[in-house]
Amino acid sequence: MGKQSTQFSALNCIDLSNSDINQSVHLLKQACLDSGFFYVVNHGISQEFMDEVFAQSKKFFSLPHQEKMKILRNEKHRGYTPVLDELLDPENQVRGDYKEGYYIGVEKAEDDPESKKPFYGQNKWPAPDVLPGWRETMEKFHRDTLEVGKSVAKIIALALDLDEKFFDQPKMFGEPIATLRLLHYGGQISEPSKGLYGAGAHTDYGLITLLATDDVAGLQICKNRDAKPQIWEDVAPLKGAFIVNLGDMLERWSNCIFKSTLHRVLGNGQERYSIAYFLEPSHDCLVECLPTCKSDSNPPKFPPILCQDYLTQRYEDTHADLKIYKKQQA
């Protein structure tokens, strides 16, 4: 059996050009209390440039496998991730995800002391003669999407009764961990009953994720992960929009007031391309219960933790050991 019948989820839509900030805060808060997913439109990135980024992504994934393996991801999660590299739901998946990806993070030169931090460093890039202009396109998209993420974070801050500049502090987005990930699903048909998925069920690790997709459906969300059986809803692609979802770090920060929602990707036999942008605060940011999210009757549920320690552990839990690729190439 292939894809199970599901219904489409009705998600709120946040218009970043809307001058009525109170309306945006209301819609976002409603979404964060319900599903943790919402659309963002009129975000300032042109459709023409979005189309160009997707075209360049397809060019990379169309390269021969050996060419892509030349820029295999490193210990800092920069570069190419092959099909089956990531295992997001080990309890239900018999193999890794049927997707390939490409990580691009915050660029820091090798001689920059900042490059010693776990999620900073040099990116790995396809050779310019192989994909001319590719790096420049991706670097611009990385910068532009960071600004969209910051705009969304201001509305999140207001929805949590914080100052709108809460996430703009130096320890927050002054030096953010911001990771762009190109994704390609190759057209396999997912079979949940056999443990085969485009991307296994998971929640995102960090603060917020902004997802741009093509017009092929596949993303599903489960609002109540504890339900038996779990009920999955499709998220419809919306041209030009970002689909935004909250990560576990924000759920932890908000003392579980805002939800990080389980989601997965089911392949339906069509190729699918998407681009995820994971936005987190700085390495040294201490993630501890927000003052507006605790009280005598609702004390903090989690101990404080440094952002870098939290993210490092989550990445290690879900990615294959790089040693396996060294063995394959030996």
Side-chain angles (χ1 to χ4, degrees):
M1 228 181 100
K3 192 169 171 179
Q4 301 159 318
S5 67
T6 55
Q7 64 182 38
F8 277 98
S9 188
L11 300 184
N12 284 355
C13 191
I14 312 298
D15 183 345
L16 290 187
S17 68
N18 186 357
S19 58
D20 184 351
I21 189 68
N22 292 328
Q23 184 184 38
S24 297
V25 170
H26 173 73
L27 287 169
L28 183 140
K29 190 167 189 174
Q30 201 176 47
C32 293
L33 294 170
D34 175 44
S35 67
F37 272 74
F38 50 92
Y39 297 110
V40 167
V41 297
N42 293 325
H43 42 66
I45 301 177
S46 71
Q47 186 61 53
E48 182 183 22
F49 185 53
M50 293 278 258
D51 292 343
E52 174 62 18
V53 175
F54 272 92
Q56 292 289 355
S57 175
K58 286 181 184 179
K59 282 183 182 176
F60 172 76
F61 289 119
S62 300
L63 293 173
H65 181 68
Q66 299 90 321
E67 193 69 40
K68 290 183 284 192
M69 288 300 283
K70 288 179 185 175
I71 38 183
L72 178 69
R73 70 173 170 89
N74 57 22
E75 288 80 1
K76 292 206 169 192
H77 297 281
R78 307 298 177 93
Y80 176 61
T81 56
V83 175
L84 306 181
D85 179 79
E86 195 170 12
L87 184 68
L88 290 167
D89 185 13
E91 281 187 29
N92 294 302
Q93 283 179 270
V94 295
R95 304 188 75 184
D97 291 352
Y98 279 91
K99 69 175 191 290
E100 53 183 342
Y102 195 93
Y103 280 116
I104 301 166
V106 175
E107 182 83 29
K108 297 286 181 182
E110 202 173 348
D111 58 359
D112 186 333
E114 291 281 294
S115 70
K116 304 290 186 285
K117 293 180 176 178
F119 295 95
Y120 280 176
Q122 290 182 293
N123 286 305
K124 301 183 80 169
W125 300 105
D129 58 328
V130 175
L131 290 175
W134 197 88
R135 172 177 179 169
E136 290 75 14
T137 298
M138 296 305 163
E139 287 184 327
K140 175 172 167 46
F141 188 68
H142 192 289
R143 289 192 304 270
D144 291 355
T145 311
L146 174 59
E147 294 310 310
V148 179
K150 286 180 175 179
S151 297
V152 173
K154 284 182 179 177
I155 305 174
I156 290 173
L158 291 170
L160 288 167
D161 297 319
L162 300 164
D163 185 276
E164 71 170 355
K165 294 182 179 173
F166 177 82
F167 291 110
D168 282 340
Q169 297 175 67
K171 278 283 179 79
M172 304 283 182
F173 290 161
E175 296 177 337
I177 298 171
T179 306
L180 183 65
R181 194 177 189 196
L182 311 175
L183 294 163
H184 171 230
Y185 298 84
Q188 292 83 3
I189 295 177
S190 296
E191 298 190 64
S193 61
K194 295 182 180 177
L196 302 176
Y197 298 85
H202 65 287
T203 53
D204 288 349
Y205 322 144
L207 194 69
I208 55 173
T209 303
L210 297 92
L211 182 76
T213 71
D214 61 12
D215 57 3
V216 178
L219 176 64
Q220 296 185 328
I221 63 174
C222 173
K223 293 180 184 177
N224 182 1
R225 70 184 81 174
D226 299 320
K228 299 278 190 277
Q230 290 178 335
I231 298 168
W232 290 90
E233 300 177 19
D234 284 303
V235 175
L238 184 60
K239 191 170 180 65
F242 282 107
I243 300 166
V244 180
N245 66 280
L246 312 181
D248 296 343
M249 189 186 295
L250 187 54
E251 181 174 276
R252 181 182 182 123
W253 226 336
S254 71
N255 215 19
C256 297
I257 290 173
F258 281 1
K259 291 169 59 171
S260 174
T261 295
L262 203 62
H263 53 286
R264 68 185 186 184
V265 174
L266 293 193
N268 61 7
Q270 291 177 276
E271 275 191 285
R272 179 176 178 270
Y273 293 87
S274 64
I275 304 170
Y277 191 87
F278 304 102
L279 182 56
E280 340 291 3
S282 75
H283 284 78
D284 300 323
C285 178
L286 189 67
V287 179
E288 59 181 335
C289 185
L290 295 166
T292 56
C293 299
K294 61 184 177 182
S295 64
D296 290 343
S297 60
N298 185 29
K301 296 176 174 64
F302 308 95
I305 188 170
L306 279 181
C307 177
Q308 62 180 342
D309 296 340
Y310 176 76
L311 289 176
T312 297
Q313 187 57 54
R314 294 298 301 272
Y315 270 88
E316 287 173 358
D317 288 344
T318 55
H319 286 78
D321 190 325
L322 284 168
K323 293 190 187 80
I324 67 164
Y325 299 116
K326 292 188 175 79
K327 288 177 188 169
Q328 289 171 5
Q329 292 168 339

